[in-house]
Every structure is written in structure tokens, then in C-alpha cells.
């Protein structure tokens, strides 16, 4: 077994990986940027080394520096987490060249799945349904227009090397196409260093269903059921659950088989996720393979009892996959809420800052993965995800109740978070009945209603404040009261007027 592993990531996922390593008796090496010096994962690791400045290019994307630290510290393997270098074939190659084990698939597989268009083609040839769309990257506007006409509107523009919901643009009318292509191309160039785009038919009211797979280096593969990640904003996941409320045993088996077929077609090893879109008639289509641990892996861990990060490490070490498909059993239901430092009332604008009072929820079936602590300042250079709340229950109803209670217990002061939005989602009857689709948040006007209720609670706060102050003054002896009032320039009638206005 590996003796020492370097974690080429930060935040909650670095903490998660360190915990798995500690359980396995493996030493950990953390790397950090200058603004992450005080991070929890840096404190938890056995060793920690500075990478450079706060910009990802200077730090978490600095491949040479990371390899150099791995070699000098004697780390035998690198766990990349998610994001940053996790799906970068050049980095995997560099690890291979330096005889450091990359915890994930090999560079060839990474190249195949990193190019989403190529992956689509390979998977389609293997007999898995894909969404109708481009065969090659888009060459010019005319070609895109012809394809969009043939597919029928709406269509969706995607970046060939895309990820994290960036570079995606839905096109409703042909006259918007050339402008949206320009925008998507620019975004793809900036985010992925490559402007290549492709087009798919846009599936109306879809559901995002993905399948977790595990594969060893001898060709054994199993799937661990699905995760429903339909609740999204801007094509980014917000709340995930397993099992999906719309997937029955028969569909689960079909999805699982399709996922394994897709993974085999690209020679997949280690833990990975095959993503599908489910249409209104429950037809499913492959969209991409994520060749890494995913943010929402915790829900699968909870219902299967399998520690995915420890399994990743063991598989990378060449261990055989002992698990057989018939041994995989799913017990109860699990749901995850992503707690991001974002203001849902201000177009999800990032809201970094210093954490004040902090209280994590707890109790039966409640898990919090986080790297924040009271007094910690969240840097503005990285992802806004600061905590994941995963809840288990015997059925979906119990999970929803338990998640609501846990969210109410969660206190994070000093920053704005997605907690109020999660509470609003859970309260929706349609959500409780499992009637969800990609546009759930817009369709139920959740942001508008959240804004209205936040204005009402502001009013209530002012009224309560006024009443408390008024009461307080009544308790004070008359002479003192007059003095105080005089000092503060308030008169009885002023309070009355203020209350009436509200
Ligand atoms: P990324 O690589 O950024 O994760 P994906 O291709 O996985 O991009 O798509 C992101 C999200 O966009 C999906 O989770 C899904 O909800 C939505 N989406 C993707 N393709 C389609 C499609 N053809 N029709 C409708 N929605 C789609
Ligand atoms: P998951 O499917 O694991 O939920 P997300 O799409 O939410 O993944 O992405 C997780 C993190 O990885 C986010 O920080 C996202 O910005 C980042 N990410 C995902 N794909 C890429 C990519 N191809 N390039 C850069 N960052 C990515
Ligand atoms: Mg995706």
C-alpha cells in the first residue's frame, strides 16, 4: 500500500481525502496557495508545502511544482480531487513519466473522456444512446445553422473540453445562434484554453441522472446505482439525491448496464461517473464521463456503505475489485445540499468573507463535509462551495424532514449562502412529490419568492427591534428615560410615527 500521498487540491475535498488516508494509515502531503495557508486541510495534513500565489495558474494548476513537491517529499501517489488538474491528461502523463501514481484513470482514457465530442462518438459506437448532435467540432456559423435546423430548436452549445457548467448556451431561435456561438467560444477559450464547440439537441424538461462506477485495473467493473442531480442553477448542481425518485429497479439496471458499457468503451479504471439526461418519457441519453471523484459522491457512500475515496486509493494501488454487482445493495435514501458562499437573491454573486459564528448540524444520519471554521476568511479566487450537508433516511420523506431540520440548525454568519434557497426547495410540494426538472427553481419562481420573504423578514426584524426598544424604555425609570431619550434625540411620538410607517 502507498505510504504517502500528495493531495493536489484544496478545501473540503482535500479534507475528505486526508481523512481517508488517515484511516488507511497513509501519510499526507498538502499543497497550498499563499491565501490558503490557514486552511483546515493544511492543518490536518502531515506535511504542507507552499505552491505559490493565489491565482490557480500559480498554484493548484502549477503541474511542475506539484510533481517536484511529490518527488522531494517522497509521495508515491497523487490524489487530484475534483476541478483543477483532476481531468487534465497532460498532468496524468506527467505523473506517469515521473513514476508517480495518479489516482484516477490513465492518460489515454483521460484524453478520450476529456474531449466530450470524442467520448460521445466512442460511447455511441459501443451501443449507448447519445443525444442527437454534432459529429465534429463546429467549423463555422453556416454549418451550425444547418445542424440546428436539422435537429430542431432549441439546441444547446457545448465546449468540447468543457466542465463545471461553463461554456453551455441554450439556443431558442436561429437568429441568436451566431451571437451565442461567439459568447460560448470566448468562454471556452478563457476557461478551457480551447475554443472548440459542438451542438446537441436540447431536451425539454430533462432530468440529470448519473451512475457511479468502480473499475479495477483487471477489467472488473460494478455500478453503485444512480444519483439524481436535476436541481441545478446555471447548469451547475445544487442538490443531489439517491435513489432518484423517478428511477425504478428496471431503469436502474438499464442505466447501470449502459454506464458500464460506456466506461468499458474508453478503458476506464478507478472511480468514475457516467452522466445521462432523462427525457420526459424516461428515455436516457449519455452526455459525458467525469473521470474523477464527484462533489456529490457522499450520497452514494451513504446508501451503499462504500467509502469511495478509500476505494479509489486501493484501486490505484492495483488492488482487485472484490465487490460483485450482486453484492451492491442500496439501503434507504440520501440527499446532499451544496452550501455555497453565494447570494441567491443577487444572481448567485459570490459572497466571500470571514466566517463569524458557525454551527454545524448533527444527529442521526447527518454528515457535514467542510473546510471552514469560525474566524476563517474565504478567499475569492476559487470555487464557492464551502460545505456539503449529506443526510440519510429510511425513505425520501424522512430525508426531506431531516434535511430541513439540519438546514435550520446550520448557522454560518458573516457570509451569504445557498441555505435559504435549499430550505425553499424542500418546502415545495412538487419537490416533495419528486416532480422535478432542470428548470425547477425558475418554474417555481423560488428566487422571486425568496426575495419577497426576505423583505418581509427584514420588516419583521425592524418592527421587533422597535418594539423591544420601546419596551426597554418603558422599564427604565422615568428620569433616566427622559435623559436617554434626550441624548438620542428621540421622542415618544417619533417611535409611534416610525411604527405606523412600517
Ligand atoms: P458539464 O461538462 O459542464 O458538466 P454537461 O454536458 O454535463 O456539462 O451538461 C451540464 C448540464 O446541462 C447537465 O447536467 C444537464 O442538466 C444540462 N444539459 C446538458 N446537455 C443537455 C441537453 N442536451 N439538453 C438539456 N439539458 C442538457
Ligand atoms: P460534479 O459533477 O462533481 O458535481 P461539478 O461540475 O460541480 O462536478 O464540478 C466540480 C468542480 O470542478 C467545480 O469547481 C468545477 O468548476 C470544476 N470543474 C469541473 N469540470 C472542470 C473542467 N473541465 N475544468 C475545470 N474545472 C472543472
Ligand atoms: Mg457534466
Amino acid at each position: 500500500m502507498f505510504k504517502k500521498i500528495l493531495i493536489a487540491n484544496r478545501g473540503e475535498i482535500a479534507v475528505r481525502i486526508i481523512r481517508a488516508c488517515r484511516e488507511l494509515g497513509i501519510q499526507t502531503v498538502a499543497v497550498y496557495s499563499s491565501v490558503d495557508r490557514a486552511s483546515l486541510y493544511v492543518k490536518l495534513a502531515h506535511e504542507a508545502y507552499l505552491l505559490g500565489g493565489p491565482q490557480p495558474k500559480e498554484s493548484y494548476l502549477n503541474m511542475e511544482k506539484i510533481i517536484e513537491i511529490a518527488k522531494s517529499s517522497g509521495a508515491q501517489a497523487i490524489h487530484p480531487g475534483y476541478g483543477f488538474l483532476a481531468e487534465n491528461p497532460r498532468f496524468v502523463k506527467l505523473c506517469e513519466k515521473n513514476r508517480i501514481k495518479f489516482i484516477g484513470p490513465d492518460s489515454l482514457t483521460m484524453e478520450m473522456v476529456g474531449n466530450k465530442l470524442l467520448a460521445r462518438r466512442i460511447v455511441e459506437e459501443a451501443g449507448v444512446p447519445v443525444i442527437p448532435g454534432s459529429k465534429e467540432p463546429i467549423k463555422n456559423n453556416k454549418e451550425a445553422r444547418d445542424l440546428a435546423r436539422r435537429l430542431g430548436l432549441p439546441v444547446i452549445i457545448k465546449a468540447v473540453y468543457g466542465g463545471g457548467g461553463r461554456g453551455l448556451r441554450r439556443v431558442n431561435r436561429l437568429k441568436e445562434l451566431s451571437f451565442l456561438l461567439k459568447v460560448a467560444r470566448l468562454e471556452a477559450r478563457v476557461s478551457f484554453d480551447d475554443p472548440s464547440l459542438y451542438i446537441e439537441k436540447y431536451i425539454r424538461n430533462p432530468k440529470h441522472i448519473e451512475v457511479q462506477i468502480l473499475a479495477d485495473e483487471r477489467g472488473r467493473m460494478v455500478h453503485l446505482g444512480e444519483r439524481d442531480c436535476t436541481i441545478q442553477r446555471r447548469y451547475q448542481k445544487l442538490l443531489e439525491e439517491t435513489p432518484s425518485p423517478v428511477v425504478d429497479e428496471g431503469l436502474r439496471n438499464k442505466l447501470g448496464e449502459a454506464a458500464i458499457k460506456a466506461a468499458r468503451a474508453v478503458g476506464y479504471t478507478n472511480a468514475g461517473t457516467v452522466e445521462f439526461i432523462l427525457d420526459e418519457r424516461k428515455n436516457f441519453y449519455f452526455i459525458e464521463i467525469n473521470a474523477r471523484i464527484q462533489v456529490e459522491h457522499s450520497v452514494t457512500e451513504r446508501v451503499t456503505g462504500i467509502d469511495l475515496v478509500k476505494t479509489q486509493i486501493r484501486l490505484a494501488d492495483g488492488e482487485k475489485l472484490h465487490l460483485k454487482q450482486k453484492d451492491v445493495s442500496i439501503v434507504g435514501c440520501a440527499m446532499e445540499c451544496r452550501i455555497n458562499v453565494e447570494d441567491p437573491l443577487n444572481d448567485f454573486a459570490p459572497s466571500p468573507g470571514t466566517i463569524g459564528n458557525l454551527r454545524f448540524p448533527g444527529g442521526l444520519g447527518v454528515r457535514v463535509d467542510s473546510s471552514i471554521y469560525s474566524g476563517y476568511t474565504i478567499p475569492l479566487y476559487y470555487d464557492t462551495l464551502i460545505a456539503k450537508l449529506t443526510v440519510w433516511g429510511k425513505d425520501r420523506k424522512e430525508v426531506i424532514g431531516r434535511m430541513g431540520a439540519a438546514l435550520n440548525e446550520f448557522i454560518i454568519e458573516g457570509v451569504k449562502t445557498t441555505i435559504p434557497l435549499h430550505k425553499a426547495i424542500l418546502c415545495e410540494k412538487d419537490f416533495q412529490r419528486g416532480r422535478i426538472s432542470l428548470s425547477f427553481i425558475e418554474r417555481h419562481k423560488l428566487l422571486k419568492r425568496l426575495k419577497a420573504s426576505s423583505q418581509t423578514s427584514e420588516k419583521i426584524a425592524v418592527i421587533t427591534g422597535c418594539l423591544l426598544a420601546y419596551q426597554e424604555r418603558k422599564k427604565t425609570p422615568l428620569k433616566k428615560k427622559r435623559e436617554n431619550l434626550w441624548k438620542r434625540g428621540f421622542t415618544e411620538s417619533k417611535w409611534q410615527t416610525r411604527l405606523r410607517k412600517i
Side-chain angles (χ1 to χ4, degrees):
M1 181 50 98
F2 303 125
K3 292 209 164 44
K4 202 184 254 188
I5 290 179
L6 181 145
I7 297 136
N9 216 301
R10 62 180 299 283
E12 72 84 20
I13 195 64
V15 173
R16 170 72 188 89
I17 300 163
I18 291 171
R19 284 183 179 143
C21 290
R22 278 187 184 272
E23 274 186 49
L24 293 169
I26 298 170
Q27 299 273 309
T28 49
V29 180
V31 287
Y32 60 94
S33 77
S34 53
V35 289
D36 273 338
R37 210 178 284 270
S39 278
L40 186 60
Y41 76 94
V42 175
K43 295 178 205 274
L44 292 180
H46 292 96
E47 295 167 46
Y49 299 93
L50 178 70
L51 280 171
Q55 294 294 347
K57 276 210 170 113
E58 305 165 318
S59 50
Y60 303 103
L61 294 176
N62 188 343
M63 302 187 205
E64 287 75 23
K65 188 82 193 260
I66 291 171
I67 296 283
E68 189 189 302
I69 295 173
K71 282 165 81 174
S72 63
S73 65
Q76 297 139 313
I78 294 184
H79 196 305
Y82 53 71
F84 298 121
L85 298 170
E87 291 175 285
N88 187 319
R90 276 204 299 132
F91 184 62
V92 184
K93 253 190 213 142
L94 205 58
C95 288
E96 288 166 357
K97 208 175 104 196
N98 285 281
R99 294 178 188 282
I100 297 167
K101 184 71 184 177
F102 177 86
I103 302 178
D106 62 24
S107 56
L108 191 67
T109 300
M110 207 56 108
E111 242 157 48
M112 284 194 251
V113 302
N115 180 332
K116 289 169 73 175
L117 196 52
L118 177 63
R120 252 173 70 97
R121 215 162 50 210
I122 297 173
V123 166
E124 189 179 18
E125 276 164 18
V128 177
V130 301
I131 299 176
S134 309
K135 298 270 182 245
E136 298 289 334
I138 293 160
K139 288 193 197 74
N140 52 49
N141 284 357
K142 182 177 176 310
E143 188 199 274
R145 187 178 290 266
D146 290 346
L147 181 62
R149 260 204 206 102
R150 217 173 42 247
L151 294 171
L153 290 163
V155 294
I156 186 165
I157 304 171
K158 291 187 175 185
V160 171
Y161 293 97
R166 273 166 291 164
L168 297 173
R169 288 289 179 282
R170 176 180 160 162
V171 183
N172 294 318
R173 279 169 295 199
L174 268 185
K175 64 175 185 210
E176 305 168 340
L177 185 65
S178 55
F179 172 70
L180 291 174
L181 279 171
K182 207 187 267 177
V183 175
R185 189 161 279 133
L186 200 71
E187 202 172 321
R189 184 176 288 129
V190 173
S191 308
F192 313 114
D193 227 9
D194 189 302
S196 318
L197 301 174
Y198 67 105
I199 286 180
E200 270 177 4
K201 168 113 191 94
Y202 187 89
I203 308 292
R204 284 181 199 272
N205 295 322
K207 292 184 172 59
H208 174 116
I209 308 284
E210 58 185 33
V211 178
Q212 176 71 52
I213 56 142
L214 288 175
D216 68 13
E217 294 179 358
R218 307 161 198 220
R220 282 170 219 253
M221 247 182 230
V222 294
H223 73 83
L224 304 184
E226 80 284 3
R227 291 186 286 256
D228 190 320
C229 314
T230 301
I231 302 287
Q232 303 189 352
R233 55 101 179 70
R234 293 192 192 141
Y235 303 115
Q236 287 172 334
K237 299 160 190 169
L238 202 57
L239 180 153
E240 305 94 342
E241 59 183 306
T242 183
S244 162
V246 295
V247 174
D248 58 21
E249 195 60 35
L251 184 55
R252 177 166 308 116
N253 291 338
K254 278 190 201 152
L255 280 162
E257 277 165 26
I260 288 181
K261 215 186 248 183
R264 275 202 199 291
V266 295
Y268 203 90
T269 52
N270 213 278
T273 298
V274 185
E275 295 191 333
F276 296 96
I277 286 277
L278 196 69
D279 72 10
E280 286 175 312
R281 291 178 174 169
K282 298 207 180 176
N283 297 311
F284 62 83
Y285 307 92
F286 166 89
I287 48 173
E288 65 163 342
I289 295 180
N290 288 152
R292 56 179 160 89
I293 191 77
Q294 278 192 281
V295 173
E296 59 276 18
H297 72 276
S298 54
V299 292
T300 303
E301 292 189 321
R302 196 58 185 82
V303 295
T304 58
I306 295 168
D307 184 318
L308 285 172
V309 179
K310 280 201 305 197
T311 309
Q312 278 193 299
I313 295 170
R314 289 199 172 114
L315 290 172
D317 200 36
E319 215 177 89
K320 196 162 100 177
L321 187 66
H322 297 292
L323 200 65
K324 297 209 172 61
Q325 194 60 54
K326 64 172 174 40
D327 303 330
V328 177
S329 64
I330 286 155
V331 180
C333 261
M335 189 177 281
E336 177 198 75
C337 286
R338 294 192 188 196
I339 317 294
N340 300 337
V341 268
E342 286 170 12
D343 184 1
L345 301 184
N346 183 18
D347 206 18
F348 294 98
S351 163
T354 300
I355 307 287
N357 190 17
L358 178 70
R359 189 179 71 196
F360 286 157
L364 182 65
V366 177
R367 163 178 174 183
V368 178
D369 286 90
S370 179
S371 64
I372 61 166
Y373 52 86
S374 185
Y376 173 69
T377 301
I378 298 158
L380 32 87
Y381 298 90
Y382 316 110
D383 208 89
T384 55
L385 182 81
I386 52 156
K388 304 188 315 199
L389 174 58
T390 308
V391 164
W392 178 88
K394 63 180 185 307
D395 53 30
R396 195 166 183 269
K397 193 166 173 227
E398 189 173 64
V399 171
I400 292 175
R402 196 169 275 168
M403 182 63 92
L407 286 168
N408 279 331
E409 234 181 79
F410 216 140
I411 295 176
I412 309 179
E413 282 176 2
V415 289
K416 295 216 162 68
T417 73
T418 43
I419 290 178
L421 179 58
H422 284 300
K423 288 184 191 167
I425 294 169
L426 292 178
C427 285
E428 279 304 309
K429 282 270 174 310
D430 274 349
F431 179 79
Q432 292 165 6
R433 290 179 188 136
R435 286 196 211 133
I436 50 176
S437 83
L438 217 60
S439 53
F440 184 86
I441 292 173
E442 296 89 69
R443 211 177 240 210
H444 290 77
K445 300 193 171 58
L446 285 190
L447 298 178
K448 223 178 193 174
R449 283 164 46 200
L450 206 59
K451 205 170 242 172
S453 81
S454 116
Q455 279 162 354
T456 312
S457 40
E458 252 169 48
K459 275 186 188 170
I460 292 171
V462 175
I463 295 172
T464 319
C466 289
L467 287 173
L468 282 177
Y470 187 66
Q471 236 172 17
E472 196 53 38
R473 282 183 324 116
K474 285 214 148 163
K475 275 193 233 153
T476 329
L478 200 64
K479 190 161 167 265
K480 191 105 198 268
K481 192 163 99 181
R482 281 216 192 93
E483 277 172 17
N484 282 348
L485 277 179
W486 185 79
K487 265 193 227 151
R488 291 162 63 187
F490 274 106
T491 62
E492 197 97 351
S493 63
K494 251 193 182 172
W495 282 114
Q496 307 266 7
T497 326
R498 194 144 166 208
L499 273 174
R500 243 180 274 126
K501 265 194 199 155
I502 295 163

